Amino acid sequence: MELLETAEKWNVNILAENFNRMCIPGTYWVDNAADLAELVKYVNHPLLHACWDTGHGNMVETPQDEALEIIGDEVYALHVQDNMGDIDTHIAPYFGTMDVESLMRGLEKIDYKGYFTFEACNIFVDPPGNRNQKASVPVALRIEAEKFLYQIGKIILSEHNCFEE
């Protein structure tokens, strides 16, 4: 595969991410932990690993901790976000239905040492029919929203004794 040859040339990891339950005819998305683990195992390349997206994981039946155990030490990155379990809304943890405690149990079980990276970009939700509404949110308010997201992460990680400044 050309992509893996390029990864070898530059010594970079490629991460396959679990996706959500999209249904596009003729297309398959890796939308669960078992399939993601099988993909990494099948390709069997030292530079191919997994990125676990918590919001996408929230849209399938497997609890976060069980899903992470299935993938195990192949999890090299996280996209931390939440939703209501039906649509991939990319909201902050605790603003949806994701079980944060299950996520943290899973990360502890696999001894995850990577970054706790937020992908919760929809702090300000677009009004229906108006995709440009975010542009009217003052920059100062956006900065405060990012600080709030940081505090959410700090609390989650501190409660599990793994927060580092």
Side-chain angles (χ1 to χ4, degrees), residues 3-18:
L3 181 60
L4 292 172
E5 290 171 4
T6 302
E8 290 170 358
K9 177 180 176 182
W10 299 104
N11 194 32
V12 296
N13 289 312
I14 296 174
L15 306 181
E17 178 180 332
N18 61 309

Side-chain angles (χ1 to χ4, degrees), residues 4 8 12-14 40 43-49 74 76:
L4 292 172
E8 290 170 358
V12 296
N13 289 312
I14 296 174
V40 172
V43 174
N44 191 27
H45 193 280
L47 294 176
L48 177 68
H49 305 284
E74 290 296 339
Y76 273 46

Side-chain angles (χ1 to χ4, degrees), residues 29-128:
W29 301 97
V30 174
D31 65 1
N32 62 72
D35 286 358
L36 181 56
E38 182 63 29
L39 171 69
V40 172
K41 181 180 176 182
Y42 176 78
V43 174
N44 191 27
H45 193 280
L47 294 176
L48 177 68
H49 305 284
C51 172
W52 182 251
D53 186 299
T54 64
H56 298 167
N58 192 48
M59 296 171 66
V60 297
E61 293 74 28
T62 307
Q64 299 278 339
D65 58 339
E66 292 176 25
L68 287 163
E69 280 190 276
I70 291 168
I71 306 165
D73 62 2
E74 290 296 339
V75 177
Y76 273 46
L78 289 175
H79 286 170
V80 180
Q81 55 126 334
D82 205 342
N83 56 51
M84 296 300 186
D86 55 353
I87 299 171
D88 189 24
T89 50
H90 290 253
I91 56 178
Y94 300 114
F95 284 69
T97 60
M98 179 187 65
D99 185 344
V100 175
E101 288 306 309
S102 178
L103 168 66
M104 296 307 295
R105 275 193 312 275
L107 294 174
E108 288 169 2
K109 285 179 183 178
I110 65 170
D111 197 28
Y112 179 74
K113 300 290 187 202
Y115 293 107
F116 196 82
T117 308
F118 282 110
E119 192 182 33
C121 53
N122 286 331
I123 294 171
F124 301 105
V125 178
D126 294 326

